[in-house]
Amino acid sequence: MSFSMKDFSLEGKVAWVTGAGHGIGFEIAKALHEAGATIVFNTSREESMQKGVESYQKAGIKAHGYVCDVTDEKAVKKLTKKIEEEVGTIDILINNAGVIKRVPMLEMNTDDFRQVIDVDLNGPFIVSKAVLPSMIKKGHGKIINICSMMSELGREDVSAYAAAKGGLKMLTKNICSEFGDANIQCNGIGPGYIETPQTKPLREKQDDGSRHPFDEFIINRTPAGRWGKTDDLAGPAVFLASDASNFVNGHILYVDGGLLAYIGKQP
């Protein structure tokens, strides 16, 4: 079968993006919508879900929002069934929901460590497990896990996050290994340092007009010489969600401006 640009189309597909009431998940969901997908998202709280629905409406998108904690297996199973009844079988799952706690390892308590692992690693396992039976029955499916630079690199104060994202990388490879013969592709996207409201304080000029030290650090470590934009994740997400990537499986696509390939500028 020859290649066609239609292979990038997501027309008729249902895409569930977890934790996509705002931020990177919201931007990825918008891209999937532009490619033709029907968008489903969940948040852990009613307030954030309603705000998310409003944000989609302002963007001209009719998104189906639900409240569900991705670490609650019973709730996830119940929601999966509800989505299938109200919207349709899930063709594309984006495991985006996540948390980070920046605490030095010796100061981090075990409960906080477990919470990060629970949301960032157990959550994708639980939601993937819930949607896989219908994907197998349908004969095709796409699972995309939002990994991180910390799937490959360590850094101070993020021991739990790095452990979770490293585990998510390997969960991605294992889902590929177990379900590839069911025509299900599981890949990951590893965003580099992205311009978001959360990272804005790290990019603001100092009082003397100089760059914030962390901003300078990232610019010097990134061959592209800039932070990523949320739009930079749109193309990779659509590609991995579409039939254009049907023989791409178990791969982590790092969207990092070349950071992982580069040792950094000489002082």
Side-chain angles (χ1 to χ4, degrees), residues 124-219:
F125 167 78
I126 289 168
V127 184
S128 298
K129 185 180 173 184
V131 304
L132 274 163
S134 292
M135 288 182 173
I136 293 168
K137 185 177 180 179
K138 194 169 186 176
H140 190 33
K142 300 281 185 175
I143 297 176
I144 302 171
N145 294 322
I146 303 304
C147 295
S148 166
M149 295 290 93
M150 300 303 105
S151 295
E152 298 289 344
L153 301 172
R155 196 164 71 79
E156 298 84 353
D157 303 342
V158 291
S159 58
Y161 185 77
K165 292 299 185 178
L168 186 58
K169 175 184 72 174
M170 294 312 300
L171 178 63
T172 301
K173 292 176 180 291
N174 209 75
I175 291 173
C176 156
S177 301
E178 286 201 46
F179 303 102
D181 62 357
N183 196 26
I184 293 167
Q185 292 83 51
C186 182
N187 294 288
I189 292 177
Y193 288 89
I194 306 295
E195 291 183 1
T196 65
Q198 288 76 22
T199 61
K200 185 177 180 181
L202 299 174
R203 294 179 280 107
E204 291 178 340
K205 295 285 187 181
Q206 303 296 284
D207 291 339
D208 61 2
S210 64
R211 288 184 182 274
H212 187 289
F214 191 78
D215 182 30
E216 186 172 8
F217 167 69
I218 293 303
I219 295 300

Side-chain angles (χ1 to χ4, degrees), residues 77-110:
K77 286 182 178 179
K78 185 177 179 180
L79 177 56
T80 302
K81 183 178 179 181
K82 188 174 184 180
I83 293 170
E84 290 179 349
E85 291 172 349
E86 295 182 355
V87 186
T89 302
I90 297 151
D91 301 286
I92 302 158
L93 169 65
I94 315 288
N95 282 311
N96 166 77
V99 297
I100 185 170
K101 292 181 183 291
R102 295 181 176 88
V103 182
M105 183 172 171
L106 294 181
E107 298 174 18
M108 187 173 218
N109 64 56
T110 305

